[in-house]
Each structure stands twice: as structure tokens, then as C-alpha cells.
Amino acid sequence: MTSEELLARRNQVVPKALVSTSTINAAKAQGAYFYDQEGKAYIDFSGGIGVLNAGHCPPAVSRAIAKQAGTLMHTFFNLLTHEPYVLLAEKLVEILPHGESTKVLFVNSGAEAVENAIKIARQATGRSAIICYTAGFHGRTNLGMALTSKVSYKIACGPFAPEVYRIPFPDFYHRGAGQRYDDFVAQELQDFEKYLSSIVAPESVAAVIIEPVQGEGGFYVTPKKYLQGLRAICDKYGMLLILDEVQSGFGRTGKWAAYEHYDVLPDISTWAKSMGSGIPIACVMGKGEVMDKALPGTLGGTYAGNPVACAGSLATIEYMQKININQKGEQVGKIVQRFFAGLKKECPAIGEVRGLGAMMAIELVKNQDPNQPDADLTKKLIAACADRGLFLIGAGLYGNVIRILSPLVITQKTLRTGLAILREELLKLTNLA
Ligand SMILES: Cc1ncc(COP(=O)(O)O)c(C=O)c1O
């Protein structure tokens, strides 16, 4: 089937709501590249939206999945215990301890992890309200949409889950004009405590959920002092802190967890994407005493913690350990950061370069004004790069952010080739070349 035929046939049988940002298809993939039906190669700077930190089809992972699929494909963990579940939980507790005792619940997607994190927080506290943030993204289930900020993800999908209270994310680039960074952060923390009088009473709040680095929202990095202050406020009022690491985890920021940059431990955390190299698996991790407050029968699901998914995830993490994925994340991050910092000097359309580790982005604006997003330029840049075999993705409430989520196993040569294409096309589109 040609690419054209595939697209035409897709349009006959797939709902329109399932938008695709491109007309490109993928027939096979390896490492940092994928290839379409005609064999055209693309450098993948999207990593399947943060799923492919260990690269496309790592051979050790493919082998582990095939072996498990031929041994035990399904049990339903609420009926029968199996080894891959326990081994993977042990591995996660080893690399991401949440304190003296840590427990892990497997599910199938990031949104499902978020749903369960909230369920557990409510049971553990006996409270119902949840505080979340502008520009936050937590998935497409009903509660996930309620927690998600961007309205175009949820048009006409309501009514949404109740008891969700959204407050402004501490976004210095857009909201900190004329202020010193530290003063802005201190003020944001003071405002948080005010919200506990004006928006929702702390006695009603089960948890605050925040992404240490916002993903879909546009790679805004939570200020370090803010997250530390938030931890202290949560402790003061008996609210739990849920850190959503679905996009930022597993080496992306140069550490297993982005929160490791903050010297902060969550009560509960959510994970998905790169933990399985593409096999559908996600998890909720949490302090043992919190996780055990969930009542028997309230957690589970037919496919949750499926043996094949667990085996694929365990092989992914073991491979990541073997190749030192965190060091690779750090290295990729340094190269991209330096490159973007240089490009910003050449190109005034770049309003801000930001990120943590290899979770780097540029925000494109008009007239160097943070409040004049340039979504049109962003779209054109993505299309021009695609023509040249570089697959990029956008982000941000206003669609004016280019985020880099390349596999972390990308070679320096491929990474620099991709960045050079991005630079050339951006300079051309802004009449600087
Ligand atoms: C931070 C965050 N949380 C939750 C989700 C939802 O994950 P999924 O698409 O696997 O449901 C995403 C997906 O992009 C995400 O980035």
C-alpha cells in the first residue's frame, strides 16, 4: 500500500476527531529514525511524544516481549499473580523510592494512572477536592480532561468531573514581567495559600497534582523553590502531592524522575510513556502507607499489569540502566540547550528557550512579545522540516512551542543534523537566510 492509499483508507474508517498533525505514516523504525511506506527516512524528534527515550524498537525489549508473549500473555492480576509484575514493581521501587516503603500499581495509560492516583489520594485523605494548574495536561479520560487545561482537548465533552480547582502555573515567562525571578516565585507561593481561603478550603483538598515540567502545556519548568514550597504547604495542610511524570520520566531530564532535580519527594507519582518503549503500560507509585489506604476491590483492570507489558517495561528499564540513559539525557540536553541558545541570538522569533535536561523547547512569538504567540510560524516550521526528513512536534496552549523529545539514544551526528535542518528552515521562514 502506498502512503497515499493508506491515508485515503484511514479517512474511510477512522473518526475525524483523531486528528493527525501530519500526513506522514510510519512503516518501520529503529533507534532515532522511522521510515514511511516508501522508505523515506525521518529523524524522529517527537519520540512518539516522549515514549521512545530508549529509541524505537530496542532489540532487547523486542526480544523480551516476544519471549513473554510465547510464555504467558495474560492472567488478570486480580485473579492470578505473575512474576513479571512483581519483578517490574521491585525494579521501580529500587530506582524511584518514595520513602521507606514504596508500592506500585500498574495500569495501561498515563490518563489511567492519573485517575487512579486521584482515587488513591481521595481514599487516603477522606477528602475530595483536587488542585491542578493552567496549561497542565493529564489525559483524555473524563477526570483527565477535567484536570487538563487546554480547552481544545475537551470541547463539548462535558460535564466534567467535579471538585477540580485550577490555579495559575508559576510561569515566569508570561506572568513575571518586571519582577525578579525569586520574588515572583515567593509571591506565587503566597498566592497559593490565599487560594486556600478564596478558592477551596484546605480541609477539602485531597491532593495537588502538578507536572514538574509541563509537557503538552509547553515545557514550562516548575521553579525549584516553588515545588519545595508546595511540598511544605501540602504537609502543613495534610494535602497529598501528586507529581505527574508521565512525559518527564525515565531519563528525559537526565534523571529517572524530574523531581530528583528538586530534592522533593511526592506522596504519589504517575508514570507511563518511556517506561515501556511503546508497549502500553503505566503506573502509579506512592508511599506504602498512602497506597495501602485504597480499599480492596477499588483498584485494578483486565489488562492492568499484563505480563507482556511488564516484561517489555522491565527490559526497557534494564536496557536504560545498561546504557546509562540518564547520562544520555544530560548529554542530549546540553547539546540542544546550547544550540537553541545560539539560535535565539540569530532569530528574534524565538521568545524563550527553556527546559530541563533533554526536555527542551523553543517558544515562537511575534515582535519578541511573550503574549503574541506565533502558531502560524510553528506550523510552517514543522511542515518545512518534515519535507526535509525531520519530524518535529509542537506544544503549548497556543500551539507556538516546538518541543524536542528525540530518543535519547540518538547519535550526536543525527541530533546535530536534525538541529541544523530546524535552524535552516526557521531562518528561511523568518527571512533571515
Ligand atoms: C503529563 C501527562 N500526564 C498524562 C498524560 C496522559 O497519558 P496517556 O496519553 O498515556 O493517557 C500525558 C500524555 O501526554 C502527559 O503528558
Side-chain angles (χ1 to χ4, degrees):
M1 207 185 298
T2 64
S3 291
E4 218 171 292
E5 281 163 357
L6 183 64
L7 199 62
R9 285 170 69 168
R10 168 193 166 129
N11 292 339
Q12 291 303 311
V13 290
V14 177
K16 287 191 178 130
L18 211 54
V19 286
S20 182
T21 57
S22 79
T23 53
I24 302 168
N25 61 71
K28 61 176 189 173
Q30 193 64 55
Y33 284 90
F34 69 86
Y35 305 85
D36 72 8
Q37 296 279 115
E38 283 77 25
K40 176 173 171 180
Y42 289 86
I43 299 173
D44 188 0
F45 271 15
S46 77
I49 315 202
V51 173
L52 301 166
N53 291 358
H56 283 279
C57 305
V61 177
S62 302
R63 277 195 302 272
I65 291 168
K67 186 168 172 223
Q68 187 61 45
T71 314
L72 178 76
M73 211 187 287
H74 181 73
T75 67
F76 201 140
F77 196 71
N78 295 42
L79 295 179
L80 295 171
T81 299
H82 60 79
E83 198 176 73
Y85 194 114
V86 177
L87 292 180
L88 178 59
E90 285 172 354
K91 175 58 76 183
L92 287 164
V93 171
E94 173 199 318
I95 62 172
L96 291 162
H98 283 46
E100 272 173 30
S101 155
T102 309
K103 295 208 167 174
V104 192
L105 168 80
F106 292 115
V107 288
N108 305 294
S109 69
E112 208 187 328
V114 168
E115 291 269 342
N116 281 281
I118 303 281
K119 243 160 61 170
I120 294 166
R122 285 177 169 159
Q123 294 190 79
T125 56
R127 304 171 177 184
S128 57
I130 305 294
I131 295 177
C132 61
Y133 286 86
T134 50
F137 183 88
H138 300 287
R140 285 189 168 84
T141 54
N142 185 272
L143 179 56
M145 282 188 295
L147 295 166
T148 288
S149 178
K150 190 169 178 170
V151 293
S152 62
Y153 285 136
K154 49 190 194 178
I155 296 168
C157 295
F160 299 111
E163 285 305 304
V164 170
Y165 300 87
R166 189 179 318 287
I167 65 167
F169 185 81
D171 164 6
F172 184 69
Y173 179 57
H174 288 101
R175 298 183 41 244
Q179 297 177 62
R180 282 184 50 239
Y181 184 76
D182 285 350
D183 294 343
F184 170 78
V185 172
Q187 186 61 51
E188 291 291 288
L189 285 167
Q190 280 177 27
D191 287 351
F192 189 104
E193 291 217 56
K194 284 191 198 149
Y195 300 140
L196 298 177
S197 297
S198 61
I199 293 182
V200 59
E203 297 82 358
S204 306
V205 178
V208 180
I209 183 165
I210 187 167
E211 295 156 86
V213 184
Q214 289 191 322
E216 295 297 308
F219 282 20
Y220 297 100
V221 182
T222 306
K224 185 166 182 173
K225 284 201 174 134
Y226 184 89
L227 200 61
Q228 291 177 338
L230 185 60
R231 177 68 274 181
I233 293 172
C234 284
D235 289 342
K236 181 171 163 190
Y237 294 103
M239 310 183 296
L240 300 182
L241 179 61
I242 303 175
L243 297 181
D244 185 346
E245 293 266 4
V246 164
Q247 196 158 148
S248 53
F250 293 95
R252 177 54 50 188
T253 69
K255 296 191 186 287
W256 292 116
Y259 68 66
E260 291 175 275
H261 292 276
Y262 291 83
D263 305 318
V264 160
L265 266 188
D267 299 296
I268 301 176
S269 57
T270 51
W271 309 83
K273 294 194 183 265
S274 276
M275 71 179 279
S277 294
I279 198 140
I281 186 155
C283 73
V284 183
M285 299 188 69
K287 295 185 171 158
E289 71 270 21
V290 172
M291 297 292 277
D292 279 338
K293 290 269 169 52
L295 297 169
T298 62
L299 305 177
T302 304
Y303 301 116
N306 165 276
V308 180
C310 287
S313 177
L314 184 60
T316 296
I317 298 170
E318 284 172 351
Y319 174 64
M320 286 175 161
Q321 287 182 311
K322 190 170 150 204
I323 63 170
N324 199 346
I325 197 84
N326 292 325
Q327 199 183 54
K328 290 198 186 302
E330 216 178 287
Q331 283 163 356
V332 168
K334 275 189 189 140
I335 293 172
V336 178
Q337 205 280 335
R338 266 190 223 130
F339 190 90
F340 279 167
L343 187 55
K344 184 174 185 296
K345 287 188 192 135
E346 284 184 278
C347 181
I350 298 180
E352 187 176 56
V353 173
R354 62 171 171 267
L356 190 61
M359 201 167 173
M360 291 299 307
I362 47 177
E363 179 152 347
L364 300 178
V365 295
K366 294 175 193 159
N367 306 315
Q368 292 188 285
D369 178 356
N371 295 314
Q372 292 187 50
D374 202 340
D376 188 45
L377 175 62
T378 312
K379 256 195 216 145
K380 286 181 176 150
L381 180 60
I382 291 171
C385 288
D387 281 347
R388 293 194 51 198
L390 171 67
F391 191 64
L392 286 180
I393 49 167
L397 286 181
Y398 308 105
N400 65 321
V401 176
I402 296 281
R403 55 178 149 167
I404 307 299
L405 285 169
S406 73
L408 301 175
V409 295
I410 193 167
T411 62
Q412 287 206 15
K413 187 166 171 248
T414 306
L415 179 61
R416 289 187 195 283
T417 304
L419 290 170
I421 294 172
L422 189 158
R423 173 180 171 273
E424 282 164 26
E425 295 306 320
L426 182 60
L427 295 183
K428 266 194 243 165
L429 284 166
T430 51
N431 301 318
L432 292 166

